[in-house]
Amino acid sequence: MIQAVLWGAVAAAPLFIGAVLALLRKWPPKWLGIVLGFGAGALMASIAFELWEEGLNLGGPIPLVVGVAAGALCYYVADRIVERRASASQGSAGGPLAVGALLDGIPEQLVLGIGLASGEGVSVALVIAIVVSNLPESIGSAADLLDGGMKRSRVLSLWAGVAVVCAIATIAGYALADAVSPEFRAGASGFAAGALLVMLVDSMVPDAQSKAKESTGLATVLGFALAAGLSLGA
């Protein structure tokens, strides 16, 4: 259980650290876009080489595809709710990014906790991919929320809450390991992948493109290359 607490905190901490970094200084829009693009690339590699591949090996294509569809639908609905609430106050892309981090982080860290309890050890590549993607995601979201007029205390509270919930998911996965099947784990991986894919296409990549312009593609490829290298080299 101590391992689950430790690794859950390590994987979730960048969500809060990124929000703090956004509060400490005003990030130029181009740098924010580059950071978001880099994080988007890291998330793409995490989907391809960690979530999708592991889900397929654990439970086969059916639970994985069902999980992907459920994750995509849940993010889509949650994102529409956030956008509807933010439209009256001229909200930015920060809210959808926070929703994506939550819907991705819970199943992703649930899988991490289950793996720990099953004696598989920690996938260092997965943890680093989570960290590499979470930090830019929270920096970009927090900066957008601040630009949209949200109070600094609320931004910190929001991302602290997301980080705590994601860390708790690791502990829950550890506790539930004996009660869940490989198919459930495959579905959880698929859920995270589906939520991430919709978030990337609808929010993260367009936001990065609007800020960094022609630098977005290069930053995205570099983020993908780093996370993919870590995954394939593990």
Side-chain angles (χ1 to χ4, degrees):
M1 182 63 76
I2 294 176
Q3 261 193 325
V5 174
L6 174 63
W7 285 109
V10 168
L15 293 167
F16 182 70
I17 293 171
V20 172
L21 291 175
L23 291 175
L24 289 177
R25 57 165 294 179
K26 180 74 173 178
W27 289 67
K30 184 170 184 178
W31 280 104
L32 274 177
I34 290 172
V35 166
L36 284 170
F38 187 89
L43 287 173
M44 292 174 190
S46 178
I47 292 169
F49 299 112
E50 296 288 345
L51 297 173
W52 183 270
E53 187 174 346
E54 176 157 348
L56 194 61
N57 291 335
L58 281 169
I62 294 178
L64 178 62
V65 170
V66 169
V68 168
L73 183 61
C74 283
Y75 176 82
Y76 179 83
V77 172
D79 187 32
R80 299 289 80 77
I81 294 172
V82 169
E83 285 188 349
R84 194 176 300 116
R85 293 184 61 182
S87 60
S89 58
Q90 299 179 342
S92 61
L97 287 178
V99 171
L102 190 63
L103 291 179
D104 152 57
I106 292 175
E108 201 170 49
Q109 294 199 214
L110 190 71
V111 170
L112 181 63
I114 293 172
L116 284 169
S118 302
E120 298 174 2
V122 177
S123 171
V124 176
L126 177 59
V127 172
I128 294 178
I130 292 172
V131 170
V132 166
S133 58
N134 280 351
L135 190 61
E137 198 174 356
S138 61
I139 291 174
S141 171
D144 277 349
L145 291 170
L146 289 169
D147 289 342
M150 182 178 284
K151 293 181 179 179
R152 295 163 69 91
S153 59
R154 285 194 63 193
V155 172
L156 280 180
S157 298
L158 170 65
W159 280 100
V162 172
V164 168
V165 170
C166 290
I168 290 173
T170 306
I171 301 171
Y174 187 93
L176 294 171
D178 292 337
V180 299
S181 64
E183 288 76 17
F184 176 88
R185 294 172 62 185
S189 293
F191 187 97
L196 274 176
L197 284 169
V198 179
M199 185 271 290
L200 284 169
V201 175
D202 284 358
S203 300
M204 198 168 184
V205 172
D207 194 33
Q209 178 65 39
S210 70
K211 290 180 170 67
K213 306 299 182 184
E214 70 281 353
S215 301
T216 306
L218 178 60
T220 302
V221 170
L222 292 175
F224 180 92
L226 175 62
L230 290 168
S231 295
L232 296 174

